[in-house]
Amino acid sequence: MNELLLIIYCALLGSGVGFLAGLLGIGGGLVIVPILSIILLHLAILPPEQVVIVAIATSLASILFTSTSSAIAHHKNGNVPWSLAPWIMTGVALGALISGFLTALLPGNVVRIIFAVSVTLIAFKMFYSSTQKETTTTRNMPNNFVLTFLTTITGGLSAMIGIGGGALLVPLLTFFSLDMKKAIGCASACGIVIALFGSIGYVSSGISYLSITDGFAGFVYLPALLGIVCTSWFTAPLGAKATNYLPVPIIKKIFSALLLAMATNMVLS
């Protein structure tokens, strides 16, 4: 009965997450991690000390599907800058793979604090930028090796807190004067890479802790993954389509409001 309720809850969660992933290029992890943590605690699926890392791992695994759906839609709309994407993807893949192994070695409370602090900083940065007037200042994109180094850091932190990378990549790319819509499209494509390599790390490091007979692939909880993906795959393209109709300032305000809400929720919990 608990598993059925969990799948229903996760399907509802996935429908909203998919739309936000397509709209904002965030992969949905900022929403999935805190809400899935609450669901797992409410249904007593796991001991409390394992809840956050399982939520993060499951979030990353779901982002693999959600970001794929979102990236396909953004590609069709011409919003993925493929000249930059390979260098960015190389960096986030390396960072995510390393992070997936390292996070399993940290205590659950430490992971939760890292999540809360990271999202709070991201939230304030996005809120500040959303209140500033548009300027004509342009900054050149760094060379490919520097870009790869910067995205290795963002990919590692993204995987550590279970997000697709948009919350970090979008501000980074727009700082270097990349168009907001293209930054979101690039973040969606890179979310696939972060999710893939991050999930490999979480599955490999979690095998000795949780059993496949209980529904776990490493730290990934498969029933929750099924519930999220069965709806998010279909709602992500709707969000991606909405990106072409919403003006950039509104997209930034939605982004910042979402981050602030999720950061507050995780701190209070």
Side-chain angles (χ1 to χ4, degrees):
M1 185 62 180
N2 274 4
E3 283 194 359
L4 178 59
L5 278 175
L6 179 130
I7 291 174
I8 292 172
Y9 290 153
C10 288
L12 293 173
L13 172 60
S15 62
V17 163
F19 183 82
L20 291 171
L23 178 65
L24 302 174
I26 61 171
L30 288 169
V31 181
I32 294 173
V33 174
I35 295 180
L36 182 56
S37 295
I38 293 170
I39 293 172
L40 293 173
L41 282 172
H42 175 68
L43 298 178
I45 302 293
L46 287 160
E49 62 270 15
Q50 292 181 321
V51 162
V52 174
I53 192 168
V54 168
I56 288 173
T58 306
S59 170
L60 275 180
S62 70
I63 289 167
L64 180 59
F65 297 91
T66 306
S67 287
T68 299
S69 178
S70 176
I72 290 171
H74 279 294
H75 171 69
K76 289 179 179 178
N77 292 327
N79 287 336
V80 181
W82 290 112
S83 60
L84 294 174
W87 298 96
I88 297 173
M89 287 180 173
T90 300
V92 298
L94 180 60
L97 184 61
I98 295 171
S99 179
F101 285 99
L102 290 181
T103 306
L105 303 176
L106 299 175
N109 284 339
V110 173
V111 176
R112 183 177 67 83
I113 291 170
I114 291 173
F115 180 93
V117 171
S118 300
V119 176
T120 298
L121 293 174
I122 294 166
F124 278 112
K125 171 64 175 68
M126 288 303 298
F127 180 79
Y128 175 78
S129 66
S130 71
T131 62
Q132 301 303 298
K133 293 181 179 180
E134 293 292 330
T135 66
T136 57
T137 302
T138 58
R139 300 181 183 89
N140 293 327
M141 192 67 66
N143 67 59
N144 293 332
F145 294 104
V146 172
L147 185 61
T148 300
F149 173 75
L150 292 174
T151 54
T152 298
I153 297 172
T154 60
L157 184 56
S158 297
M160 181 172 286
I161 62 178
I163 64 176
L168 300 176
L169 277 174
V170 171
L172 175 66
L173 295 176
T174 54
F175 176 80
F176 290 114
S177 303
L178 186 66
D179 176 74
M180 182 70 167
K181 293 182 177 65
K182 292 189 181 299
I184 291 174
C186 187
S188 294
C190 290
I192 302 171
V193 179
I194 292 173
L196 175 61
F197 285 88
S199 294
I200 290 172
Y202 281 111
V203 169
S204 301
S205 60
I207 289 175
S208 59
Y209 293 91
L210 298 166
S211 171
I212 187 68
T213 57
D214 294 323
F216 293 91
F219 285 117
V220 177
Y221 190 40
L222 298 177
L225 175 62
L226 173 64
I228 294 169
V229 171
C230 73
T231 53
S232 63
W233 176 270
F234 300 101
T235 57
L238 300 178
K241 187 175 182 180
T243 302
N244 291 317
Y245 299 98
L246 293 175
V248 170
I250 291 179
I251 294 176
K252 284 187 175 182
K253 284 181 170 59
I254 292 173
F255 207 167
S256 61
L258 172 68
L259 297 181
L260 284 169
M262 291 303 102
T264 301
N265 178 78
M266 183 58 88
V267 169
L268 293 177
S269 67

